Amino acid sequence: MKLINSKNLESKRLILRSTNMDDVELVYALRSNAIVRKYIMQPLYKTQEEAVIHIKNLLTYLKENKSISWTIINKKTNQKLGSICLWNLSEDRKTAEVGYDLLPEYFNKGYMSEALQEVISFGFNKLRLKAIEAFTHTENKASKKLLLANGFTQDSKRKDLDFPKNIIFTLKK
């Protein structure tokens, strides 16, 4: 199945639309923020040009059917809150990894849980995935809580060899 999704995903409070070049400021805000990126082992962005390059890569990955990324928008205020994606699809297209980030002012308001539920539904019902995985830092309590609350279970037998401080969660259909 092609990942290109012309329709937005919607929940009670949110619209999830494909990330595009209108999201440079959001991507820069997310990827240059030390609070947001605390548990991500990558350097912070220093320029908006890095965000432009990142979005261009996301658009290429979408065109190549490798990943899909959404911008999370509050329906009432039209504020951009964060992003969420399905990426790292398995060769057989049965497993994908979910990734997400949120601006700090929107932490602990249930937005990411609401967005994650829409992406899980899309992954299982539209892409026909059999499992969705999430890799998170062992110290990221909020991410672990989010995943457990949405039915993911920790896979203690698997290790992230690239990032040993990560743990892996899986949700099976």
Side-chain angles (χ1 to χ4, degrees):
M1 161 153 255
K2 287 292 268 176
L3 294 177
I4 294 174
N5 174 27
S6 58
K7 289 180 64 178
N8 294 332
L9 304 182
E10 285 194 44
S11 66
K12 184 177 179 182
R13 300 181 295 166
L14 304 173
I15 295 172
L16 280 63
R17 70 146 170 77
S18 289
T19 302
N20 62 50
M21 295 309 291
D22 293 336
D23 300 318
V24 171
E25 285 183 34
L26 172 70
V27 169
Y28 179 71
L30 291 165
R31 290 183 168 254
S32 65
N33 187 305
I35 295 168
V36 174
R37 305 299 285 177
K38 180 177 180 178
Y39 300 109
I40 307 294
M41 304 299 119
Q42 297 170 342
L44 295 176
Y45 283 7
K46 292 182 175 34
T47 67
Q48 282 199 345
E49 183 57 30
E50 290 171 289
V52 169
I53 292 166
H54 179 76
I55 293 172
K56 285 180 179 177
N57 287 336
L58 292 177
L59 295 172
T60 298
Y61 300 151
L62 179 62
K63 190 184 289 185
E64 293 172 351
N65 210 31
K66 292 181 179 176
S67 72
I68 184 167
S69 181
W70 295 272
T71 296
I72 302 168
I73 303 167
N74 182 307
K75 276 184 181 179
K76 272 189 181 174
T77 65
N78 210 32
Q79 285 293 117
K80 296 175 184 179
L81 314 179
S83 68
I84 191 166
C85 67
L86 286 172
W87 69 291
N88 204 13
L89 280 87
S90 62
E91 288 276 330
D92 64 4
R93 313 297 277 182
K94 293 189 176 173
T95 303
E97 184 178 338
V98 65
Y100 44 80
D101 46 17
L102 197 64
L103 293 170
E105 57 267 37
Y106 303 111
F107 286 3
N108 299 310
K109 296 182 179 358
Y111 291 122
M112 192 53 73
S113 186
E114 202 170 312
L116 181 58
Q117 289 166 22
E118 292 305 313
V119 170
I120 290 168
S121 177
F122 177 84
F124 287 149
N125 298 322
K126 299 286 188 212
L127 298 182
R128 308 233 188 279
L129 297 172
K130 300 295 180 207
I132 298 175
E133 299 177 331
F135 290 56
T136 195
H137 194 283
T138 57
E139 296 172 17
N140 191 339
K141 292 177 185 165
S143 184
K144 291 190 293 189
K145 182 180 174 185
L146 170 74
L147 295 168
L148 292 170
N150 283 282
F152 285 76
T153 55
Q154 185 178 342
D155 187 345
S156 56
K157 292 184 178 117
R158 291 183 56 211
K159 304 285 182 216
D160 184 347
L161 300 177
D162 295 327
F163 299 98
K165 290 218 174 218
N166 277 350
I167 52 179
I168 303 168
F169 288 81
T170 304
L171 178 66
K172 295 185 178 177
K173 186 170 181 176

